[in-house]
Amino acid sequence: MQKLKIVPMPTAVAEGVRTTMKAPLYGFPAHRETATGRAPCRHCLKLIRTNDQELILFTYDAFHGQGEWPSPGPVYIHAETCQPYSGDGHLPEEYRGQPLTFEAFGKGRKRLGETTTCEAEGDAALQKVFQDSAVQYVHARSTTAGCYLFRVERDGR
Ligand SMILES: [Zn+2]
């Protein structure tokens, strides 16, 4: 078993969007409304409660902070302050059993392939992806919606 780390959107990005109501980098207006469907927050990696909590929808570069050229797409965060995800390197609870796509990247953003998973063995699928020593990180996306969810890295500690 390799030790992995799940990396959420940086807190500074989430806070910046809540304050400015604009997408970082792009400046497009962000949209705030009460969640009406499955909407996972990219900061705490929990679901935004339907018909209860408010979300902010905005354009986000999945490669933010990685020093690579961008790949923007729509994401949600909680409209109110939430705690950044900090887990044990396993898939967050809200994503277990969900259809996920793991896009593997190597040095210089080289795309090394993708794996889709729809059963409860998401952690095992991740372990397998990271068996390739050329893989430096993985972007997890929703297979059904295609949206970026979080990054997975080897935990170097
Ligand atoms: Zn949140």
Side-chain angles (χ1 to χ4, degrees):
M1 285 280 281
Q2 304 170 82
K3 195 153 165 38
L4 302 177
K5 184 167 67 172
I6 308 286
V7 184
M9 173 186 295
T11 300
V13 172
E15 287 299 326
V17 172
R18 287 171 185 139
T19 305
T20 64
M21 284 302 287
K22 283 186 177 6
L25 197 65
Y26 304 100
F28 303 139
H31 177 74
R32 178 172 176 154
E33 66 176 24
T34 304
T36 54
R38 183 182 167 89
C41 173
R42 270 47 164 206
H43 181 241
C44 64
L45 303 186
K46 293 194 168 109
L47 292 182
I48 302 166
R49 288 198 305 273
T50 307
N51 301 321
D52 177 21
Q53 292 180 316
E54 285 193 307
L55 58 79
I56 299 175
L57 170 67
F58 63 100
T59 303
Y60 180 65
D61 167 28
F63 290 95
H64 182 102
Q66 291 187 265
E68 303 288 0
W69 66 93
S71 180
V75 292
Y76 303 114
I77 56 169
H78 278 107
E80 303 298 333
T81 301
C82 59
Q83 292 301 310
Y85 179 79
S86 65
D88 54 5
H90 295 284
L91 276 187
E93 197 183 329
E94 313 273 27
Y95 299 88
R96 287 179 202 148
Q98 292 292 321
L100 298 176
T101 299
F102 300 128
E103 282 186 289
F105 294 94
K107 198 171 169 13
R109 200 187 184 288
K110 186 174 166 50
R111 198 169 180 281
L112 299 173
E114 71 176 29
T115 303
T116 55
T117 174
C118 57
E119 300 300 330
E121 66 265 10
D123 280 318
L126 271 179
Q127 287 290 331
K128 202 169 169 200
V129 170
F130 278 98
Q131 276 173 10
D132 179 350
S133 60
V135 172
Q136 297 199 334
Y137 56 92
V138 162
H139 281 184
R141 289 178 177 269
S142 154
T143 300
T144 47
C147 302
Y148 172 77
L149 298 170
F150 51 82
R151 188 168 78 239
V152 188
E153 299 174 347
R154 289 192 174 84
D155 193 341
R157 285 176 301 176

